[in-house]
Amino acid sequence: MKHQWFILSVMFVVSTTMGELKRDLSAPPPQMPAPVLYDTTTAVLTSANAKLMLPEKSWSEIQKGQLPSKFQGDAVLVNSKVAVVVGKDGSGVGLYARDKDSWTRYAHLVPVIKNTPLRLTGIKAVTNTEELVVIEAGSGEHAVWFSLSGAEPIVKTTPKGKVEALRITTLCRLCVFPDFFADDLLLDAREIPVDHTEIPGG
């Protein structure tokens, strides 16, 4: 009898949980903060700017629906978790994350063509809605689209033209390469005895 009581109790808990899930799924999804696009009006992406206060008073917010083809300063895509700063002077892209009182740069991104860094001489907005902000940064037909939604700390990149890689520079000890079959590759810099190494890729 004890076993029967235990099984019935588990079935009841599962049934109750499933009922709650059904009610949650039928309810409207919670509203997420919309991503925002800024024109900094002056260059802010420099080697000295490891931290930023977002947004600065001098920055100009690009209203939803507006798609400027040029930026006076740097372009900044930001949601509640991450920020992408695209340098107008061609210096690349800074990836920032929110800290307690400011935003800290954790990585620097540079598109690459045939192992040569691509200078980002042009910036334009592609999409600017409540759900998604996309900008194109590059030189002529060779460019990268940077996309940011309001829901996740994920920056999507899409190459255009002959861009074949995105060079990521960051100070870190551990690096994880996700695998399609859940066989992720974890690298520990302390276990690599040389200054440079090649990582196998698919």
Side-chain angles (χ1 to χ4, degrees):
M1 292 297 295
K2 289 184 179 180
H3 291 294
Q4 292 177 352
W5 178 85
F6 180 75
I7 294 174
L8 289 173
S9 297
V10 172
M11 290 178 64
F12 174 75
V13 171
V14 172
S15 299
T16 303
T17 304
M18 291 301 294
E20 292 174 353
L21 285 175
K22 289 179 181 178
R23 286 196 296 272
D24 290 341
L25 291 174
S26 63
Q31 295 296 319
M32 300 300 298
V36 182
L37 177 61
Y38 292 98
D39 185 335
T40 64
T41 67
T42 59
V44 298
L45 185 64
T46 65
S47 58
N49 272 354
K51 288 185 177 291
L52 288 176
M53 300 298 294
L54 301 180
E56 299 284 353
K57 293 182 179 180
S58 60
W59 294 8
S60 175
E61 180 177 346
I62 309 301
Q63 299 301 312
K64 297 303 180 186
Q66 295 183 0
L67 300 174
S69 58
K70 294 182 179 180
F71 283 74
Q72 184 178 350
D74 297 344
V76 178
L77 301 78
V78 59
N79 63 16
S80 60
K81 300 178 179 67
V82 297
V84 181
V85 181
V86 182
K88 182 185 178 182
D89 61 356
S91 57
V93 179
L95 183 60
Y96 291 75
R98 181 192 289 274
D99 286 334
K100 186 176 181 180
D101 299 318
S102 63
W103 294 72
T104 301
R105 183 167 61 195
Y106 285 94
H108 190 76
L109 317 178
V110 178
V112 174
I113 299 178
K114 295 183 178 180
N115 207 33
T116 301
L118 174 66
R119 186 171 178 81
L120 306 179
T121 57
I123 306 173
K124 67 178 182 180
V126 178
T127 302
N128 186 18
T129 68
E130 294 290 337
E131 295 78 24
L132 184 68
V133 171
V134 182
I135 64 169
E136 178 181 291
S139 178
E141 62 179 334
H142 312 303
V144 176
W145 282 15
F146 294 91
S147 308
L148 187 66
S149 70
E152 299 176 327
I154 297 175
V155 180
K156 180 181 178 181
T157 58
T158 305
K160 301 293 180 180
K162 294 184 178 180
V163 174
E164 57 191 19
L166 191 63
R167 182 175 296 165
I168 304 175
T169 304
T170 184
L171 293 176
C172 64
R173 175 188 168 187
L174 301 175
C175 185
V176 179
F177 289 85
D179 183 80
F180 183 77
F181 297 102
D183 187 19
D184 297 345
L185 177 63
L186 175 64
L187 296 181
D188 188 336
R190 294 183 179 180
E191 298 178 356
I192 301 176
V194 294
D195 293 335
H196 298 83
T197 186
E198 292 188 6
I199 308 303

